[in-house]
Amino acid sequence: MLEVKGLSAGYAGSEVLHGIDLVVNEHEGVIVLGPNGHGKSTLLRAITGLLRPTAGQVFFNGKEITRWRPDVIAAAGVVHIPQGDLLFPEMTVTENLLMGAFHRPTWGERKERLDRVYELWPWLKDRGGQLTRTLSGGERRMLALGRGLMSKAEILLIDEPSLGLTPLTTQQIYASIQKVKESGIALLLADENANHVAGLADRVYLLETGSLVREGPADTLLKDQALLESYLG
Amino acid sequence: MSSVTVAAPTRPALDEAAAPWKRVPLYAIGGTIVGGIVLPLVLVRLDIGTYLITLLILFFIQAVVAQAWNLIMGYGGIYSFAQVALFAVGGWTSGVLVHSLGWNPFVAVLFSPIVAAIAALGIGLPTLRLRGVYVVLLTLAFHQLARVFTVTGPRFISGGGYGLVTVQTFSFGDNVIGDQRTIYLYYLAGFMFAIATFVIWRVIHSPLGVAVSALRDSETYGVSRGINQFRIRLLLFVISAFFTGLAGGYATHYNGGISTTIFDFPRIIDLLAMIVIGGWGTFAGPILGAGIVIGLDQYLVALGDYRELLLGLIIAGIAVFAPQGLWPVIRGLYEKYLAPEAPPPPAPARSEGTS
Amino acid sequence: MTLLVQAIWGGVLFGAVYGLMALGLTLVWGAVRFLNLAHGAIFTVGAYAAYWVVSSLNLPILIALPFGVLVAAAFSYLMHLALIRPVLGKPGFDNSTLIATVGISISVSAAAILIFNPEYKVVPAVLPGYFVISGVQITNQGLLVIATSLALFLLVYLFLTYTRQGMAVRAVSQQMEAASLMSIPVERTYGMVIAISGALAGLAGVLLSPFFFLNPNSGFNPMIQALIVTIFGGLGSIRGALVAGFVLGIFESFVEVFYGVAWAQPGVFVLIILMLILRPNGLFGIGEVRRL
């Protein structure tokens, strides 16, 4: 459903991504593994319109979305949960969630969608009136995920879900993402370590200095410790 | 461990290459000065010559104020709208000294820049610590204040709400009248312009000017390198006010008065247009802009009120679509087609060790 | 007693006026982060549009009022399309928008002179008439202005807090990238805020013109006052605009009544300087203000 062909992108004249080819099929969980600074975030940003690609194309469900504005891409069902959460600091937990359902067709169903998100993280309902800038790291991550789920996403692009979290919280987050995958939404996850992704992944790409160097089914690639160590250090 | 020897930190030497006598060929400056001196003598022979000389005087006055404003706005990034008010402070100072105290205009006009500079100090101290937007507001408020004060203030200032209407003008002696007098006024204005231009040039190319540009371009970096932002901006502000006040004083004794209409929109518009059209943040920009606006004015005046409309639209358009103004365009064309090859920069000293 | 009533009435009226003008300004700053120096010009646009309806089309002021508001809103939106949107996100944004809005102010002023003439115009009040309390004229139009101002503050507050679009405006002003990832159209949201701000300014223009005579520079002074109030109350704060408006309005009115007109402006000036020294963010400011 999501197809990336020959995508190149960069910042201020220096190219970070060089000709990326990538595919995510329906209901699939695809992981892009790579060390920090090698272009994972750039890749996700280029796909969802936050960054203009210098070359290449992105297709979603057959339609080319390469130069679309980020809000149009999001409305089409490609939802990006960005690195660092990017929550709305002066808004409450509930308001953040509601913003996730901003798209007019989705807005009408916001109550139902809220209930679904509350099933995953009941505390969001109890602390709905709390301002987000008073939340802890793990809570912010859960809220960011919940916010992304408020939309009618067909595919979720998640950028480093475990960034800055304690091991316990990391486990919780991945468990939640697992549930999301089970509900049928496709996933494109960018991550730095391979520890928790085994249950989620159908296929894995390895990204090194802006190029995809390996691709393969999750069970084979993830079990190859030597390979992983050489790439991820 | 590399073998680079670290030199003891020294303050950078004054940029010799930037000194005026190196940047602009000497003959160009000399030629301009000689030309400026000779010009009125030539013009006076023409029918419209005297009129042209008065235009030039107007140009000198406006160009000084435009340069001064550009110094703080274009270079310093200080969005002050108090320029006209400071001009008025200068004008009123000199006017009152002459009108109410009977001083000689030549003496009184020396106090204009001083009082204006003091006023600038007064405005700047609370204002310049704050971010741009607050400067806009406070200087606009000062403008309003000055306006209200000159209109409703004590009689010797407000002259019944119209300003100072009969102020003694510069007198070069009882025998000097008519064209001769105009020429003398021209030289006086030209002298003022030359000094202001020179000083502003030096300031721009001094460590002060460089520091200010650095701050404008990247404030946090500049501050991290030890530039005291507030003191520098204050200094620049005061220098700008000094020359603006001087121009105001001159104008009062040139025109024989100063009116409260000076606070009206059109004056600020004209000045802003000069800077925006000429070249925001460049040295020659405001001078070029002053020339353009005053020069074209003669034709634009025929348009009546369309002139203001046109100016406003041009300012808005340039600000958005060509924020650099005309001067960089002209300079670019010059460098592309006319300028001789610039000498290559000196090779950097070799002192690094292995890496 | 008369003086006291005069001072209070003036204060509340000024307060409502300042608040109304400041509301639009602070909305735009909070959302789009630029200082709209064309705010006064839009005030003028609204007022002249209403005047035109009344004098050329001979329609009642009640029809002219919404017309003026709409024209002001449309004008603002056009300004956004032509001058703001092209420089959004570019490095020279602050500079360009400041100068561009000044340019617009100039142009509107000039256009008003050209289309109408520089003579003072009379715009009829929506609610004519007055009654007298303790020797002071309480105009019905004045009461309307106060009521409208308070109502609009409430409406804007409700809009921002409870409506989908209003929340989107807040979202965009707090975290622009995230907002666009939620399918919020950022540029269009900016345009909407600017149009709303324009409508507010236009409304102020139509309602206030009966108090003074309408002339091409009518909007300049209200805008300066609005700027002062906005900064006093805190850039970006709706609450601040409301409170600061009334505080400054009442202060100015009392100074004017008891010490004379000449001291009113300097008094406000001193007050704002004090505020900026003691509390640069204003009463309820949310913005960052660097102190050296």
Side-chain angles (χ1 to χ4, degrees):
Chain A
M1 67 185 331
L2 181 72
E3 216 188 314
V4 175
K5 280 194 195 153
L7 193 70
S8 298
Y11 303 96
S14 70
E15 198 179 75
V16 171
L17 293 177
H18 320 294
I20 306 282
D21 291 314
L22 185 154
V23 169
V24 180
N25 298 310
E26 279 188 40
H27 312 304
E28 245 195 335
V30 172
I31 319 287
V32 174
L33 281 177
N36 245 342
H38 284 233
K40 299 192 302 298
S41 287
T42 310
L43 175 61
L44 263 52
R45 291 168 66 92
I47 293 176
T48 56
L50 290 179
L51 182 63
R52 224 156 187 223
T54 51
Q57 294 166 299
V58 181
F59 295 91
F60 182 64
N61 285 341
K63 277 199 287 217
E64 181 173 354
I65 64 170
T66 323
R67 299 221 181 288
W68 286 17
R69 274 191 348 234
D71 53 281
V72 182
I73 294 181
V78 179
V79 175
H80 182 171
I81 300 180
Q83 193 182 80
D85 306 323
L86 297 190
L87 299 173
F88 302 117
E90 303 291 330
M91 294 172 89
T92 64
V93 165
T94 311
E95 286 175 330
N96 269 268
L97 289 174
L98 285 175
M99 284 292 92
F102 174 82
H103 191 44
R104 192 100 45 110
T106 318
W107 184 258
E109 302 172 12
R110 60 192 186 281
K111 296 256 164 51
E112 293 85 11
R113 304 202 72 86
L114 271 179
D115 289 334
R116 285 177 44 179
V117 170
Y118 289 150
E119 272 174 45
L120 280 171
W121 302 285
W123 69 268
L124 288 175
K125 185 169 188 180
D126 304 323
R127 310 209 340 231
Q130 197 176 339
L131 280 183
T132 55
R133 57 177 163 78
T134 59
L135 294 176
S136 75
E139 290 166 340
R140 297 168 63 92
R141 194 58 43 81
M142 289 185 246
L143 176 57
L145 275 174
R147 191 175 66 170
L149 285 177
M150 287 291 291
S151 65
K152 288 199 186 139
E154 289 178 42
I155 177 171
L156 272 181
L157 281 71
I158 311 182
D159 198 344
E160 301 231 31
S162 58
L163 189 68
L165 298 182
T166 65
L168 179 61
T169 328
T170 305
Q171 260 186 322
Q172 292 173 330
I173 293 288
Y174 279 107
S176 307
I177 300 180
Q178 178 79 23
K179 287 209 204 114
V180 168
K181 175 155 189 286
E182 283 160 15
S183 72
I185 301 178
L187 291 177
L188 178 58
L189 225 76
D191 215 322
E192 211 199 340
N193 72 66
N195 292 336
H196 300 267
V197 298
L200 298 170
D202 296 313
R203 276 186 305 115
V204 174
Y205 290 89
L206 291 179
L207 182 71
E208 192 185 83
T209 52
S211 299
L212 289 177
V213 292
R214 284 292 289 266
E215 183 218 333
D219 23 2
T220 34
L221 264 181
L222 290 179
K223 296 213 169 80
D224 193 342
Q225 279 302 111
L227 182 69
L228 290 178
E229 261 167 53
S230 75
Y231 279 110
L232 302 176
Chain B
M1 212 35 204
S2 78
S3 59
V4 172
T5 50
V6 178
T10 52
R11 301 199 68 182
L14 196 63
D15 187 355
E16 277 301 319
W21 41 92
K22 294 257 172 76
R23 286 288 292 272
V24 180
L26 202 54
Y27 62 81
I29 301 183
T32 316
I33 294 180
V34 168
I37 296 179
V38 168
L39 188 58
L41 304 172
V42 168
L43 285 179
V44 92
R45 312 220 176 278
L46 306 171
D47 272 341
I48 52 161
T50 316
Y51 175 64
L52 286 179
I53 299 180
T54 56
L55 264 195
L56 284 169
I57 296 179
L58 190 63
F59 164 75
F60 285 141
I61 299 176
Q62 302 285 57
V64 167
V65 182
Q67 285 186 77
W69 200 11
N70 182 51
L71 183 65
I72 52 175
M73 271 222 294
Y75 278 97
I78 304 169
Y79 292 100
S80 159
F81 281 86
Q83 215 63 15
V84 166
L86 288 168
F87 182 91
V89 165
W92 250 273
T93 302
S94 187
V96 166
L97 285 177
V98 168
H99 190 66
S100 303
L101 297 182
W103 288 24
N104 183 315
F106 285 102
V107 175
V109 87
L110 293 175
F111 282 80
S112 296
I114 298 175
V115 175
I118 296 176
L121 204 60
I123 306 174
L125 276 171
T127 311
L128 291 177
R129 291 185 190 277
L130 307 170
R131 239 172 69 196
V133 106
Y134 299 91
V135 177
V136 173
L137 164 82
L138 285 177
T139 51
L140 272 176
F142 177 72
H143 173 100
Q144 287 290 83
L145 201 65
R147 186 179 63 87
V148 169
F149 189 64
T150 54
V151 170
T152 63
R155 187 97 207 182
F156 71 91
I157 290 184
S158 74
Y162 296 104
L164 306 173
V165 278
T166 46
V167 174
Q168 187 188 354
T169 57
F170 289 118
S171 164
F172 302 92
D174 291 326
N175 297 332
V176 181
I177 51 167
D179 282 354
Q180 189 61 20
R181 180 162 174 275
T182 309
I183 293 182
Y184 280 11
L185 284 170
Y186 168 92
Y187 285 137
L188 193 59
F191 181 63
M192 173 182 75
F193 171 76
I195 294 189
T197 306
F198 178 70
V199 170
I200 290 179
W201 170 282
R202 289 294 287 160
V203 167
I204 290 175
H205 291 94
S206 70
L208 171 65
V210 172
V212 155
S213 292
L215 281 177
R216 179 198 62 193
D217 292 336
S218 173
E219 200 165 314
T220 34
Y221 183 68
V223 171
S224 74
R225 299 281 291 184
I227 300 178
N228 185 327
Q229 180 177 353
F230 174 61
R231 273 219 293 263
I232 282 184
R233 293 169 94 194
L234 190 62
L235 188 53
L236 217 65
F237 196 58
V238 168
I239 292 176
S240 166
F242 182 86
F243 287 107
T244 306
L246 179 61
Y250 176 88
T252 300
H253 298 294
Y254 170 71
N255 290 316
I258 185 164
S259 156
T260 51
T261 60
I262 206 179
F263 290 99
D264 290 345
F265 245 170
R267 293 308 300 266
I268 290 198
I269 297 168
D270 284 359
L271 281 175
L272 191 63
M274 290 175 198
I275 300 179
V276 170
I277 296 176
W280 183 270
T282 64
F283 168 69
I287 301 177
L288 176 67
I292 292 180
V293 171
I294 291 180
L296 288 185
D297 228 9
Q298 309 316 305
Y299 301 99
L300 293 180
V301 155
L303 293 176
D305 294 302
Y306 282 97
R307 174 184 178 275
E308 306 289 306
L309 182 59
L310 195 63
L311 270 184
L313 290 174
I314 290 180
I315 289 177
I318 291 188
V320 170
F321 299 110
Q324 298 304 315
L326 273 184
W327 173 247
V329 172
I330 294 181
R331 191 169 54 189
L333 288 174
Y334 171 77
E335 265 160 26
K336 207 163 155 203
Y337 296 115
L338 295 176
E341 281 288 317
R350 306 239 133 238
S351 68
E352 71 272 311
T354 55
S355 67
Chain C
M1 187 57 192
T2 305
L3 282 182
L4 188 61
V5 172
Q6 176 83 4
I8 295 178
W9 166 247
V12 172
L13 186 55
F14 286 1
V17 170
Y18 292 164
L20 192 54
M21 282 299 283
L23 182 57
L25 217 54
T26 212
L27 263 180
V28 169
W29 174 270
V32 196
R33 291 274 190 279
F34 81 92
L35 195 58
N36 185 7
L37 287 183
H39 201 58
I42 300 172
F43 173 102
T44 311
V45 166
Y48 269 102
Y51 169 76
W52 178 77
V53 168
V54 166
S55 66
S56 298
L57 300 183
N58 281 316
L59 292 171
I61 183 77
L62 267 183
I63 300 200
L65 175 65
F67 181 77
V69 171
L70 280 175
V71 169
F75 184 85
S76 292
Y77 191 72
L78 276 174
M79 181 181 78
H80 158 75
L81 286 181
L83 297 173
I84 311 296
R85 205 171 59 162
V87 282
L88 276 173
K90 301 237 176 78
F93 179 70
D94 294 334
N95 209 8
S96 294
T97 51
L98 196 80
I99 306 294
T101 50
V102 171
I104 291 291
S105 274
I106 299 167
S107 307
V108 164
S109 207
I113 296 182
L114 288 171
I115 301 178
F116 309 90
N117 54 58
E119 283 164 23
Y120 286 14
K121 303 275 187 257
V122 175
V123 175
V126 175
L127 283 186
Y130 63 91
F131 51 95
V132 177
I133 293 184
S134 216
V136 176
Q137 260 192 17
I138 310 284
T139 57
N140 291 332
Q141 181 81 347
L143 290 173
L144 178 65
V145 168
I146 295 173
T148 308
S149 174
L150 292 172
L152 280 171
F153 267 99
L154 184 64
L155 278 175
V156 168
Y157 171 75
L158 290 176
F159 172 72
L160 289 177
T161 316
Y162 295 112
T163 67
R164 173 177 163 262
Q165 286 289 5
M167 284 203 278
V169 168
R170 282 194 293 147
V172 160
S173 70
Q174 292 175 26
Q175 192 15 286
M176 192 190 77
E177 275 198 339
S180 65
L181 290 181
M182 319 265 114
S183 77
I184 298 176
V186 171
E187 283 180 0
R188 220 157 359 122
T189 307
Y190 287 158
M192 183 179 67
V193 172
I194 291 175
I196 292 178
S197 160
L200 290 170
L203 180 64
V206 180
L207 288 180
L208 290 176
S209 303
F211 287 104
F212 316 101
F213 294 108
L214 179 60
N215 71 76
N217 288 319
S218 277
F220 188 62
N221 282 331
M223 181 178 70
I224 305 287
Q225 301 300 100
L227 267 176
I228 295 180
V229 165
T230 305
I231 292 194
F232 192 86
L235 282 170
S237 165
I238 309 291
R239 204 174 9 159
L242 180 61
V243 172
F246 280 98
V247 166
L248 287 177
I250 292 176
F251 177 79
E252 187 182 335
S253 180
F254 270 78
V255 169
E256 189 174 310
V257 166
F258 290 106
Y259 294 99
V261 162
W263 292 106
Q265 280 274 28
V268 171
F269 193 46
V270 167
L271 206 61
I272 180 86
I273 296 249
L274 274 176
M275 171 62 83
L276 284 178
I277 293 178
L278 297 173
R279 215 190 138 89
N281 271 332
L283 290 173
F284 301 99
I286 51 176
E288 344 71 64
V289 177
R290 223 171 301 113
R291 292 285 245 119
L292 292 173

